[in-house]
Amino acid sequence: MVLIMKTWVPFLVSLCLAGSVAGQTASTSTAKAAPGKSDPAGAAKKEEPAKIEGMEVSRGEKGYLGIQIVDGRFKIKFYDLKKKQMQPDVARAILRWDPKYKVGTERVLLTPGPENTLTSERFIRPPYNFRIFMLLQKEAPEGDDAVGESLIIDFRQ
């Protein structure tokens, strides 16, 4: 009987200690998660910046572009300086590039599409690894030249 008590006592003591440690851990974790209490680590966290879809291209003070190929067609979204999507400030985009699968250049015109984007109608054949020469054009009154902005992009998707 004494032998059984000697083996059970250390076992029961270790169980009690493990239970009390687990209880303390649970109470401290619930105290951190309780609403209404300030969390210094959470206060330091800020909102994550907005995500630009596709390849991010900076336009300086005009904001950003997100260019990507979706279902084989170019798609360009326009973003302001805070990376929030906005209405395109141009009427069309003209893209030119040298594809890897043939000699010569390819060209495509992007016009307004759904969801405040500029999209192409023509299918673009992969691989999508080339330098794009982009011209963004605004509408101009008759008799005037269209105002444009040009960009060179090393596109990879």
Side-chain angles (χ1 to χ4, degrees), residues 124-144:
I124 310 302
R125 186 174 151 194
Y128 305 131
N129 182 12
F130 39 75
R131 178 173 284 178
I132 297 174
F133 299 91
M134 180 186 301
L135 178 63
L136 301 172
Q137 287 186 330
K138 293 184 178 184
E139 284 292 328
E142 278 189 43
D144 289 343

Side-chain angles (χ1 to χ4, degrees), residues 1-23:
M1 178 86 168
V2 173
L3 182 60
I4 294 173
M5 292 288 282
K6 286 183 179 178
T7 57
W8 279 100
V9 170
F11 177 73
L12 289 174
V13 169
S14 64
L15 260 176
C16 290
L17 287 174
S20 67
V21 169

Side-chain angles (χ1 to χ4, degrees), residues 6-131:
K6 286 183 179 178
T7 57
W8 279 100
V9 170
F11 177 73
L12 289 174
V13 169
S14 64
L15 260 176
C16 290
L17 287 174
S20 67
V21 169
Q24 288 176 353
T25 306
S27 66
T28 56
S29 65
T30 55
K32 287 183 182 176
K37 293 195 176 190
S38 63
D39 184 14
K45 291 181 184 176
K46 295 182 181 177
E47 282 188 32
E48 293 182 21
K51 177 86 170 114
I52 291 181
E53 292 182 34
M55 186 174 180
E56 181 178 317
V57 179
S58 175
R59 296 175 66 201
E61 293 183 14
K62 294 181 181 180
Y64 297 91
L65 295 176
I67 183 169
Q68 60 184 331
I69 296 178
V70 179
D71 296 329
R73 288 163 177 71
F74 276 107
K75 181 178 178 181
I76 299 176
K77 288 189 176 185
F78 292 76
Y79 299 88
D80 61 12
L81 291 173
K82 295 180 182 178
K83 297 185 179 181
K84 304 270 188 219
Q85 188 176 354
M86 64 180 205
Q87 186 99 9
D89 59 352
V90 297
R92 65 185 153 269
I94 301 166
L95 306 181
R96 179 178 58 89
W97 70 96
D98 294 327
K100 301 293 182 193
Y101 58 86
K102 73 173 195 171
V103 177
T105 60
E106 293 270 339
R107 291 178 182 85
V108 69
L109 175 68
L110 281 72
T111 55
E115 302 173 2
N116 295 328
T117 61
L118 294 180
T119 57
S120 66
E121 293 295 321
R122 199 175 82 206
F123 182 81
I124 310 302
R125 186 174 151 194
Y128 305 131
N129 182 12
F130 39 75
R131 178 173 284 178

